């Protein structure tokens, strides 16, 4: 039997169930990100993996640069005046200037989502408010996040209250 499931498809027989979820998946052994997350249940044994083909690195956001306009609904805090807070998306990697420290990592994106497996960054000490803002930027950029259109050509990266607006 084949039927739609939450964000994907479910295939079932008397002994096997396969769930394909339209969500990026990394196999944990390479930097390849696949289009779908796959769960197979055979009896009581569950197998998890990836499928749907590899995602093209950097689709949609590649080779763009954005100013960070707000973090979790708050205007950016930039007490050191080190230039604008920015996120630059290259072909496969991103870098962010956050006011005190910098961070970066690999990413893949497509229409409506971005996936950043991990970020690395410098670790200079700054005032508590700036450090909290940088942590919020890291949360908004890390892992699997949605991309939504904002106002006046901006985009919103993140889920719920953990988001940044890029202009």
């Amino acid at each position: 039997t084949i039927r739609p499931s939450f964000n994907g498809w479910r295939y079932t027989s008397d002994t096997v169930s396969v769930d394909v979820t339209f969500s990026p998946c990394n196999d944990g052994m390479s930097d390849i990100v696949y289009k779908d997350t796959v769960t197979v249940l055979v009896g009581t044994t569950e197998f998890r993996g990836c499928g749907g083909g590899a995602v093209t690195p950097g689709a949609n956001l590649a080779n763009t640069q954005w100013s960070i306009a707000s973090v979790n609904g708050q205007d950016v805090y930039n007490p050191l005046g080190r230039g604008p807070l920015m996120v630059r998306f290259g072909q496969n990697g991103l870098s962010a200037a956050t006011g005190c420290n910098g961070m970066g990592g690999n990413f893949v994106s497509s229409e409506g989502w971005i996936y950043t497996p991990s970020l690395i960054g410098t670790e200079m000490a700054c005032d508590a408010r700036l450090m909290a803002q940088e942590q919020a930027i890291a949360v908004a950029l890390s892992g699997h996040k949605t991309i939504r259109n904002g106002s006046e050509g901006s985009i919103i990266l993140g889920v719920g209250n953990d988001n940044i607006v890029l202009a």
Side-chain angles (χ1 to χ4, degrees):
T1 306
I2 301 171
R3 64 183 169 95
S5 66
F6 176 76
N7 198 27
W9 291 97
R10 174 168 282 170
Y11 303 84
T12 57
S13 72
D14 291 339
T15 57
V16 177
S17 173
V18 178
D19 283 300
V20 178
T21 304
F22 305 141
S23 175
C25 178
N26 178 276
D27 61 15
M29 298 182 294
S30 69
D31 287 334
I32 298 171
V33 175
Y34 297 88
K35 293 178 183 177
D36 303 322
T37 300
V38 180
T39 305
V40 178
L41 186 63
V42 180
T44 59
T45 305
E46 184 177 90
F47 302 93
R48 294 182 178 269
C50 304
V55 174
T56 304
N60 291 344
L61 289 175
N63 303 314
T64 62
Q65 177 173 302
W66 302 79
S67 294
I68 301 173
S70 69
V71 180
N72 297 340
Q74 303 294 313
D75 289 339
V76 293
Y77 174 63
N78 191 7
L80 302 177
R82 295 185 176 160
L85 281 58
M86 304 286 295
V87 179
R88 292 175 187 87
F89 296 95
Q91 191 59 37
N92 317 334
L94 68 86
S95 62
T98 61
C100 179
N101 289 290
M103 62 184 74
N106 293 328
F107 79 97
V108 292
S109 67
S110 189
E111 189 171 330
W113 60 266
I114 182 171
Y115 175 68
T116 307
S118 63
L119 289 171
I120 57 170
T122 59
E123 297 182 0
M124 295 181 355
C126 302
D127 72 69
R129 182 174 170 196
L130 187 52
M131 295 299 288
Q133 177 178 273
E134 289 184 348
Q135 179 61 33
I137 292 168
V139 167
L141 289 173
S142 297
H144 181 259
K145 303 295 186 212
T146 62
I147 302 172
R148 301 183 313 272
N149 289 325
S151 62
E152 299 177 18
S154 68
I155 58 172
I156 303 167
L157 302 182
V159 178
N161 293 328
D162 295 327
N163 67 66
I164 57 176
V165 176
L166 303 178

